[in-house]
């Protein structure tokens, strides 16, 4: 019995050391390879995912702690934030994959852990480092707008005051939209993590449930009632700019619009598939709609209609 326990501990140390080495190589590559650093950084949670699938949370946390110490040795102390973020995310993803959860459940759990990490990192950067990246981002945008305005005047062209006003108003919304930006960042990071982890886990013969086709994804009808309730509130009550209620309603507006747009794009993909159109058609439409706000609004409206009247169910009956 002791021999078996000793062998398990030896395997734990050996596998942990191998995956730790893989993580450090990926970390250094993400820091020092200029062109590929972004794409390499997306793979940083992978060693922790593989480890946490085989071992419990306690041992996985030990690996994160050791990885943090090694990170401090081979890089700057600030890089520990990367290790903590991607290490804890890897543990959550690995635990979900170990339980053979559905892809959407894994995405939500991953989004949550990334959001927690981003919020903690934001608070630490303000309290300890006195660095607010939102303020820095607004300053960069301000400088860009001023430079563009100066260049336009220098060339003798007329400055469109209305467009400049809209740009400055949009810039003022960045601070208010911080919660939405954090959620969107967490969601994108979780999605990229799944995108990279799933094929690797399949290759290593770990059970991974496939995503349902995008055309079959539908939000619950209750989301529509939330949207209607939101519209009623905003029609009869105008929150004062800068208040907590104003910030909450502004973020909720963007979130609900994107949900309705996703429902609309899902319906377009369903309709395109039923008509036998190329798969590239809904993708091209999505890209074009991002460049044309009016088209994006129409897609959101289509999502509202589909959610309320279940258009795809009616199409299925006709086919």
């Amino acid at each position: 019995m002791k021999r078996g326990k000793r062998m398990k501990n030896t395997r734990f140390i050996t596998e942990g050391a191998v995956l730790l080495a893989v993580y450090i190589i990926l970390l250094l590559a993400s820091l020092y390879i200029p062109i590929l650093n972004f794409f390499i950084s997306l793979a940083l949670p992978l060693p922790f995912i593989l480890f946490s699938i085989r071992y419990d949370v306690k041992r996985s946390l030990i690996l994160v702690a050791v990885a943090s110490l090694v990170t401090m040795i081979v890089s700057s102390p600030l890089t520990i934030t990367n290790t903590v973020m991607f290490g804890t995310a890897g543990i959550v993803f690995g635990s979900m994959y170990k339980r053979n959860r559905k892809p959407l459940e894994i995405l939500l759990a991953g989004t949550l852990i990334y959001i927690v990490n981003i919020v903690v990192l934001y608070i630490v950067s303000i309290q300890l480092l006195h660095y607010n990246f939102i303020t820095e981002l607004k300053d960069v945008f301000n400088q860009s707008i001023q430079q563009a305005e100066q260049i336009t005047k220098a060339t003798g062209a007329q400055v469109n005051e209305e467009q400049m006003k809209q740009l400055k108003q949009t810039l003022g919304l960045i601070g208010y939209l911080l919660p939405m930006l954090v959620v969107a960042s967490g969601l994108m990071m979780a999605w990229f993590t799944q995108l990279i982890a799933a094929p690797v886990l399949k290759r290593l013969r770990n059970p991974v449930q496939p995503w349902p086709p995008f055309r079959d994804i539908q939000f619950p009808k209750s989301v529509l009632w939330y949207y209607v309730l939101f519209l009623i509130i905003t029609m009869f009550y105008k929150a004062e700019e800068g208040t907590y209620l104003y910030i909450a309603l502004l973020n909720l507006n963007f979130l609900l619009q994107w949900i309705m747009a996703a429902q609309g794009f899902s319906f377009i993909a369903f309709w395109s598939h039923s008509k036998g159109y190329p798969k590239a058609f809904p993708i091209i439409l999505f890209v074009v709609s991002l460049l044309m706000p009016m088209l994006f609004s129409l897609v959101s409206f289509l999502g509202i209609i589909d959610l309320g009247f279940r258009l795809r169910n009616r199409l299925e009956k006709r086919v």
Side-chain angles (χ1 to χ4, degrees):
M1 190 171 178
K2 288 183 179 180
R3 185 180 178 183
K5 187 176 181 181
R6 194 181 300 115
M7 288 180 64
K8 286 182 180 180
N9 289 333
T10 303
R11 188 176 63 182
F12 158 70
I13 294 171
T14 304
E15 292 182 354
V18 171
L19 290 173
L20 176 61
V22 171
Y23 171 76
I24 295 300
I25 291 171
L26 289 173
L27 178 66
L28 293 175
S30 69
L31 293 174
Y32 299 112
I33 300 180
I35 300 174
L36 300 176
N37 54 358
F38 172 74
F39 300 100
I40 296 172
S41 65
L42 298 175
L44 289 176
L46 192 56
F48 300 102
I49 293 174
L50 296 173
F51 188 84
S52 57
I53 287 176
R54 296 180 61 83
Y55 298 97
D56 56 23
V57 174
K58 183 180 178 181
R59 292 192 173 189
S60 300
L61 288 172
I62 292 174
L63 180 63
V64 174
V66 175
S68 299
L69 292 174
V70 177
T71 299
M72 191 165 54
I73 295 171
V74 301
S75 184
S76 64
L78 290 177
T79 315
I80 293 177
T81 56
N82 290 0
T83 300
V84 173
M85 173 183 286
F86 293 116
T88 52
I91 292 174
V92 171
F93 275 97
S95 301
M96 297 294 284
Y97 279 120
K98 184 193 292 187
R99 298 172 189 172
N100 199 23
R101 297 292 190 182
K102 295 179 180 179
L104 185 58
E105 294 176 334
I106 297 173
L107 180 65
L108 292 175
T111 301
L112 182 61
I113 187 62
Y114 275 125
I115 288 173
V116 170
N117 275 293
I118 292 170
V119 171
V120 171
L121 181 61
Y122 181 64
I123 294 172
V124 169
S125 67
I126 292 176
Q127 296 297 325
L128 298 182
L129 305 177
H130 305 290
Y131 177 79
N132 190 330
F133 68 86
I134 295 296
T135 304
E136 294 292 329
L137 185 63
K138 290 174 72 174
D139 289 342
V140 170
F141 281 144
N142 258 324
Q143 291 174 7
S144 300
I145 292 173
Q146 289 173 4
Q147 288 175 0
E149 193 172 2
Q150 290 172 1
I151 292 171
T152 304
K153 289 179 179 179
T155 55
Q158 189 176 0
V159 178
N160 191 321
E161 296 295 338
E162 186 63 29
Q163 288 184 351
M164 284 295 174
K165 185 179 179 182
Q166 289 179 356
L167 279 173
K168 290 175 181 178
Q169 287 177 347
T170 303
L171 180 63
L173 293 176
I174 292 178
Y176 295 143
L177 290 174
L178 178 59
M180 183 65 188
L181 292 173
V182 169
V183 172
S185 300
L187 179 62
M188 290 303 297
M189 292 173 73
W191 185 73
F192 277 120
T193 300
Q194 275 186 277
L195 198 65
I196 293 172
V200 174
L201 293 176
K202 286 180 183 177
R203 193 69 181 264
L204 296 175
R205 297 181 180 178
N206 289 293
V208 177
Q209 293 193 31
W211 274 95
F214 179 70
R215 62 180 180 271
D216 294 337
I217 295 177
Q218 298 187 63
F219 289 96
K221 199 170 184 178
S222 57
V223 174
L224 180 61
W225 295 114
Y226 296 144
Y227 190 61
V228 171
L229 180 62
F230 168 79
L231 291 176
I232 293 172
I233 292 173
T234 52
M235 274 195 322
F236 292 98
Y237 182 79
K238 185 173 178 62
E240 185 179 350
E241 185 174 346
T243 61
Y244 287 114
L245 181 59
Y246 175 85
I247 296 172
L249 291 176
L250 184 65
N251 283 271
L252 191 59
N253 179 39
F254 274 83
L255 179 62
L256 289 171
Q257 281 187 359
W258 273 97
I259 289 175
M260 295 306 166
Q263 180 78 19
F265 285 117
S266 176
F267 173 78
I268 291 171
F270 174 84
W271 175 77
S272 176
H273 180 264
S274 66
K275 293 292 184 180
Y277 293 157
K279 292 182 178 179
F281 173 74
I283 297 174
I284 293 172
L285 185 62
F286 172 73
V287 174
V288 172
S289 66
L290 292 179
L291 302 175
M292 299 176 62
M294 182 63 71
L295 182 58
F296 186 85
S297 299
L298 289 174
V299 174
S300 299
F301 184 68
L302 180 61
I304 294 172
I305 296 174
D306 180 43
L307 202 57
F309 299 98
R310 296 299 183 189
L311 294 181
R312 65 189 75 193
N313 292 344
R314 301 189 180 194
L315 284 178
E316 285 178 340
K317 289 178 182 179
R318 290 182 181 179
V319 173

